[in-house]
Amino acid sequence: MANNVVLKLSDITMQFGGVVAVDNLNLEVRKNEVIGLIGPNGAGKTTAFNVVTGVYEPTNGAVNINGMRVIENFPHGKMAETYKGKHQGDYGQVMRLTPDRVTRLGVARTFQNIRLFKEMSVLENGSVFRSKTARQEEKQMIAEAEELLRKVELYENRHDLATSLPYGKQRHLEIARALATHPTILLLDEPAAGMNPQESD
């Protein structure tokens, strides 16, 4: 992997009808690097995250994760006639990944609006059960979840309903849940939005 690049976005354009939400985004993130996407509401930050995680197909451009091309698209069909972005013709194949497959490649994310499993406890939200597992593996995953909850100061709340937590603690839980997938890339979409200064600290 050249220069330890774990995430590379090449010429990403996301167009909805006649509206270009992301215009020719190029970005490289290296191992252990922290990058911030900064911009006003409507600048396309969440849209960029949605492209990386397979929620949206880009209209044009490519995404590489850990040195492997995993997403690519180009303006075709009706979009070829109405495309407003750059680099039309530079990409020629359609490669798609669903969000679950992107997660398996080591990409985890949080959302701008908290998305917890409302009817589950804090511990259940923090546990990632990949499939029907053997009892020993399930015990290990619960132990890992409990350790993550300690790190985000939610262990004492582990049996509480996730949605009964104050807003700031729900944010902490969402981050713990993302970390439970053992990601190599962690995308935090406005992790301090709606928090007071103490919660943000």
Side-chain angles (χ1 to χ4, degrees):
M1 187 168 29
N3 300 323
N4 291 319
V5 174
V6 294
L7 177 64
K8 181 177 180 181
L9 309 182
S10 303
D11 307 315
I12 293 294
T13 297
M14 188 71 230
Q15 183 172 327
F16 299 99
V19 177
V20 179
V22 175
D23 189 12
N24 195 43
L25 175 61
N26 289 282
L27 177 71
E28 286 188 358
V29 180
R30 287 170 179 74
K31 186 176 182 180
N32 298 322
E33 189 172 41
V34 176
I35 300 287
L37 290 181
I38 300 171
N41 288 342
K45 303 179 298 292
T46 297
T47 301
F49 279 15
N50 285 339
V51 167
V52 171
T53 57
V55 174
Y56 294 158
E57 279 180 41
T59 309
N60 193 58
V63 177
N64 286 41
I65 297 173
N66 294 317
M68 182 174 63
R69 174 75 45 96
V70 295
I71 296 171
E72 183 175 331
N73 204 3
F74 65 98
H76 53 282
K78 289 183 181 178
M79 185 55 73
E81 299 167 13
T82 60
Y83 183 65
K84 296 180 179 180
K86 300 173 184 168
H87 298 282
Q88 187 168 7
D90 288 2
Y91 300 89
Q93 63 180 334
V94 176
M95 297 176 71
R96 302 178 178 130
L97 281 184
T98 56
D100 62 309
R101 290 180 63 203
V102 173
T103 300
R104 282 189 219 113
L105 289 175
V107 180
R109 74 169 297 179
T110 64
F111 293 87
Q112 189 172 354
N113 299 315
I114 295 172
R115 296 186 184 178
L116 298 174
F117 297 112
K118 295 181 176 161
E119 301 304 317
M120 292 184 171
S121 71
V122 170
L123 180 60
E124 289 167 329
N125 265 277
S127 303
V128 178
F129 298 100
R130 294 172 186 89
S131 62
K132 292 181 180 176
T133 60
R135 199 155 188 74
Q136 185 61 34
E137 188 177 344
E138 186 176 326
K139 284 181 184 178
Q140 181 182 343
M141 285 189 282
I142 289 170
E144 287 177 15
E146 288 178 338
E147 182 57 32
L148 280 172
L149 293 178
R150 282 187 182 90
K151 286 181 181 176
V152 297
E153 299 177 359
L154 289 175
Y155 183 76
E156 299 303 318
N157 301 99
R158 67 190 179 281
H159 298 300
D160 296 346
L161 198 62
T163 52
S164 73
L165 296 175
Y167 185 82
K169 288 188 174 188
Q170 288 186 31
R171 281 271 179 209
H172 289 185
L173 177 55
E174 192 174 42
I175 292 168
R177 187 176 61 188
L179 291 172
T181 66
H182 304 286
T184 55
I185 302 166
L186 179 60
L187 305 174
L188 303 174
D189 194 350
E190 297 196 29
M195 293 171 125
N196 64 42
Q198 291 78 24
E199 290 170 333
S200 296
D201 286 343

